[in-house]
Amino acid sequence: MALHTPNPNPNPFVRVMRKVYNPIGFSRGYNSLLFLIFAGVLLGFSLAKLPSLDVNGYWINNNAPGESYYFGPANYFYNSMIRLHLYTCIPAGILGVWQFLPLLRHNFLLLHRINGYLVILLLLVTNIGALGVARHAFGGSLATQGFVGVLAILTYTSIFLAYWNIKVLQIDQHRAWMLRLYVYLGTIITVRLINIVVAAVISRGSKYFTYYTAMECQKVACMAGGTDLFTSYYPSCLTNPKGLAIVRADLTSAANIAEIAASLAIPFAVSCWLALALHAFAVELYLHLTPAEGERLRQVSYERQLERGLEPAGSVGLVAERIGDAAAWVPLHERAKESDRLEGSSLERKFTSDLAAVSESEEARK
């Protein structure tokens, strides 16, 4: 019983597109389109961040205002943590994209496995760096730290379940958890887009969109490069250089760089949580809308688990019926037999019913 049958007589556009995506292993147009869009964005973002591997040079000079105060070379711990994070997350973003290319999985399985182990190792380490810098990333609010912690839990859980399911040949669940893993990781790209939009909104300066945040005087001095900013905007810092300055958020401020930093720091936490919610919803929606692919891979899992002698074949990994009240999964050939049996029983009942009707008709005529 086929789960997906391509149209044998497609229109000219589809015929041309199949010549593009079939050679790289895709059998459906929507899959190839989604891969090109989202994998392309992740790959482009990761490649664009390659210069950031020069942490004390390019990254410090091109990051958001004020970040160098905490993550510069003078602060050994946070500088080491941001190095650890960037040295691992950027390569993981570049290498991970290719794990979703069917051509690699089908024709270069050994390379797919080696690359997968390398990606897992990089992601295990990159979360350590992320947790290390969370205290001061874009203000380091508790909401931001909570987001980093939740994202670390989600990614570690996805890594573990993806690895475990592939070790027991539950390929459909391996696919699902790997998709979740990289969609969760892609949150950090969406965060930047949302953060810029929200920063622009709260910088309008009206009574409804005026926001302030407390910022260390020393951090303000680091951004300003001197004390002129104190004299003009924060005179209290002159008397207490180790105190706090109340900084207004204004992304368009030309004279006060601290206000630009505040406009990016204030909405960062809400941008993170909103982006995570969007990504979590999107990946579950995609998995819900592509049951045929999941069913196809589960059938493949059944066949490979059967060859390996794993029981119950088709349901060795983390599947719904093992932890919930879902009905037991049945292989396609058994479903076909059951369908034939039911169809035969239905025909037999119909024949018996017709025969009885004929008999009753004969009796009535007599």
Side-chain angles (χ1 to χ4, degrees):
M1 183 168 63
L3 292 172
H4 173 70
T5 304
N7 181 5
N9 299 305
N11 59 55
F13 175 76
V14 174
R15 284 200 297 270
V16 171
M17 292 308 299
R18 283 181 180 175
K19 293 179 181 179
V20 175
Y21 62 74
N22 283 342
I24 59 176
F26 288 102
S27 59
R28 299 174 180 84
Y30 73 89
N31 275 348
S32 61
L33 180 61
L34 291 173
F35 175 81
L36 290 175
I37 293 173
F38 294 106
V41 169
L42 178 59
L43 181 61
F45 178 81
S46 301
L47 291 174
K49 290 296 179 180
L50 279 176
S52 297
L53 295 176
D54 178 16
V55 175
N56 293 334
Y58 179 89
W59 187 83
I60 288 292
N61 295 323
N62 292 275
N63 202 19
E67 296 299 288
S68 60
Y69 174 70
Y70 297 111
F71 303 114
N75 195 328
Y76 178 77
F77 174 77
Y78 289 110
N79 186 257
S80 299
M81 288 294 102
I82 195 63
R83 283 173 176 270
L84 187 66
H85 179 60
L86 293 175
Y87 289 171
T88 51
C89 72
I90 294 175
I94 295 172
L95 296 175
V97 167
W98 307 107
Q99 292 299 97
F100 299 94
L101 188 66
L103 179 66
L104 183 69
R105 298 198 305 270
H106 298 160
N107 299 338
F108 304 94
L109 184 57
L110 180 60
L111 181 60
H112 175 76
R113 289 175 177 172
I114 294 173
N115 192 50
Y117 284 123
L118 182 57
V119 167
I120 287 176
L121 179 62
L122 289 170
L123 292 177
L124 290 175
V125 176
T126 198
N127 275 340
I128 298 174
L131 292 168
V133 302
R135 176 63 185 88
H136 291 297
F138 286 90
S141 68
L142 282 175
T144 298
Q145 295 177 61
F147 162 77
V148 175
V150 169
L151 188 59
I153 292 171
L154 289 174
T155 52
Y156 278 144
T157 302
S158 299
I159 289 170
F160 170 75
L161 292 176
Y163 176 79
W164 177 50
N165 277 292
I166 198 60
K167 296 306 288 185
V168 296
L169 302 176
Q170 196 70 46
I171 303 171
D172 56 311
Q173 290 300 313
H174 174 71
R175 162 192 177 253
W177 285 105
M178 284 302 295
L179 282 171
R180 289 187 179 107
L181 171 62
Y182 265 85
V183 172
Y184 294 152
L185 292 173
T187 299
I188 198 60
I189 302 175
T190 308
V191 165
R192 284 163 164 77
L193 301 176
I194 298 175
N195 203 44
I196 289 293
V197 173
V198 180
V201 170
I202 67 174
S203 298
R204 294 178 59 185
S206 71
K207 63 179 180 179
Y208 300 107
F209 297 100
T210 301
Y211 289 82
Y212 297 86
T213 187
M215 194 175 293
E216 296 176 42
C217 289
Q218 292 179 336
K219 181 178 179 179
V220 175
C222 176
M223 287 185 282
T227 59
D228 291 342
L229 194 60
F230 290 165
T231 305
S232 304
Y233 292 93
Y234 315 110
S236 63
C237 288
L238 290 174
T239 57
N240 185 13
K242 293 185 178 181
L244 296 174
I246 305 302
V247 183
R248 182 173 68 94
D250 186 1
L251 187 64
T252 62
S253 178
N256 190 345
I257 193 172
E259 293 184 347
I260 299 176
S263 70
L264 295 172
I266 291 173
F268 185 73
V270 70
S271 300
C272 289
W273 286 107
L274 179 56
L276 182 58
L278 290 172
H279 279 238
F281 172 78
V283 69
E284 296 304 325
L285 178 64
Y286 176 77
L287 291 171
H288 181 75
L289 293 177
T290 55
E293 179 64 10
E295 184 66 19
R296 183 187 71 83
L297 290 175
R298 190 156 189 182
Q299 184 67 26
V300 174
S301 301
Y302 166 80
E303 295 168 0
R304 295 188 181 181
Q305 289 168 359
L306 200 62
E307 292 175 0
R308 185 77 64 86
L310 300 175
E311 293 291 341
S315 303
V316 180
L318 183 68
V319 292
E321 58 266 29
R322 295 194 64 179
I323 58 176
D325 61 355
W329 181 81
V330 180
L332 287 177
H333 66 279
E334 293 186 12
R335 273 179 267 172
K337 289 180 182 178
E338 181 66 13
S339 177
D340 292 342
R341 186 187 68 80
L342 292 174
E343 185 178 352
S345 299
S346 177
L347 291 173
E348 183 178 351
R349 286 195 299 271
K350 186 176 185 303
F351 175 77
T352 303
S353 175
D354 291 345
L355 185 60
V358 170
S359 299
E360 291 176 0
S361 178
E362 290 293 333
E363 290 290 335
R365 281 199 297 270
K366 290 179 180 180

